[in-house]
Amino acid sequence: MTTTARGAAGSSASTFDRSLLRPNLRSRNVVEEVEAKGGNAIVAFRYDTSELGTTWTEVSAYGTAVIARQPWSQKAVSRGFYNRAMPEPAVEPTYTLYRRGMELLEDGDFEDAAEPLAEAARREPEKTSVREALGRAYYRAGRFRLAAVEFGAVVESHPVNDYAHFCLGRALSMTGDTRGARHHLALASNLRPDRRDYRYYRRLLDS
């Protein structure tokens, strides 16, 4: 497409160049024509000039209308030929992350469950329910050292949490830290002597 503007001869180049930036002049018509054709970008945009007699100079703007597509991951689109960033997606609430992680955990998708739970734990590291769930996801995914870190954080905040001691003992045993595992399994058994599973895993390490 082509659009043309004419100016009186003798106008300085610098004055004319600045005038082209004004939205009400003819160069803007190129954009309007592209939009009318369904395009969203211009390639090979250029100007050309020619003399009309001794008093007028014709300035023509050329370009090719195209449809430019960008991956969604770039989070930006071209709109009106200006680069305007799309609004950032709404931040998912921490509780929603926790619930999604718990659902994945219950469904047996342990690796996938760790992702939202890890983000929830990063935001609210003092939430022991989140740290415990993340520890469970890591443990079931075979990431025992990371699981031990999460269960250790729960134990530090709640020293009488028998289940956290039990899980920490199990995670430590899988990393080869038998001494640490015995300690926490013993604490779990002492806190809840009615739990046969606690005593069972403690005896395994004694044998």
Side-chain angles (χ1 to χ4, degrees):
M1 88 298 298
T2 305
T3 188
T4 303
R6 293 181 175 88
S11 297
S12 68
S14 59
T15 301
F16 186 71
D17 288 344
R18 285 197 299 274
S19 71
L20 288 177
L21 300 178
R22 298 173 187 167
N24 60 344
L25 293 183
R26 292 300 183 93
S27 59
R28 178 62 65 121
N29 291 347
V30 177
V31 172
E32 294 171 355
E33 288 184 27
V34 173
E35 289 177 331
K37 296 176 184 298
N40 67 358
I42 301 172
V43 297
F45 187 78
R46 61 199 183 278
Y47 290 104
D48 195 9
T49 63
S50 59
E51 301 295 330
L52 298 178
T54 59
T55 58
W56 292 91
T57 298
E58 181 180 70
V59 179
S60 300
Y62 300 87
T64 302
V66 298
I67 298 175
R69 293 194 175 97
Q70 294 175 311
W72 284 111
S73 60
Q74 294 183 14
K75 298 181 181 178
V77 295
S78 295
R79 183 180 179 185
F81 309 102
Y82 301 95
N83 289 327
R84 295 179 180 175
M86 292 178 65
E88 288 293 324
V91 176
E92 193 171 5
T94 303
Y95 181 73
T96 303
L97 289 169
Y98 172 70
R99 288 306 313 161
R100 181 153 59 87
M102 289 299 295
E103 289 171 5
L104 291 166
L105 186 59
E106 291 164 5
D107 290 342
D109 297 330
F110 307 122
E111 286 285 357
D112 290 338
E115 215 171 290
L117 290 172
E119 175 59 20
R122 184 191 67 79
R123 295 183 192 177
E124 300 189 25
E126 74 285 353
K127 294 286 187 182
T128 55
S129 58
V130 176
R131 303 294 294 270
E132 182 179 292
L134 178 57
R136 290 170 54 201
Y138 281 149
Y139 185 91
R140 298 299 297 275
R143 301 164 75 178
F144 303 115
R145 294 189 185 279
L146 290 175
V149 170
E150 299 306 315
F151 293 131
V154 178
V155 165
E156 185 176 351
S157 298
H158 294 78
V160 295
N161 185 326
D162 61 284
Y163 183 68
H165 278 292
F166 171 72
C167 292
L168 178 54
R170 295 287 295 129
L172 290 173
S173 70
M174 300 302 291
T175 66
D177 184 359
T178 304
R179 181 177 179 181
R182 283 200 187 104
H183 172 72
H184 288 285
L185 289 172
L187 287 173
S189 298
N190 292 335
L191 288 167
R192 287 290 303 277
D194 57 311
R195 290 289 298 264
R196 297 175 60 185
D197 52 340
Y198 291 0
R199 297 196 305 272
Y200 171 76
Y201 284 104
R202 179 186 177 186
R203 285 195 301 268
L204 281 181
L205 293 180
D206 290 336
S207 59

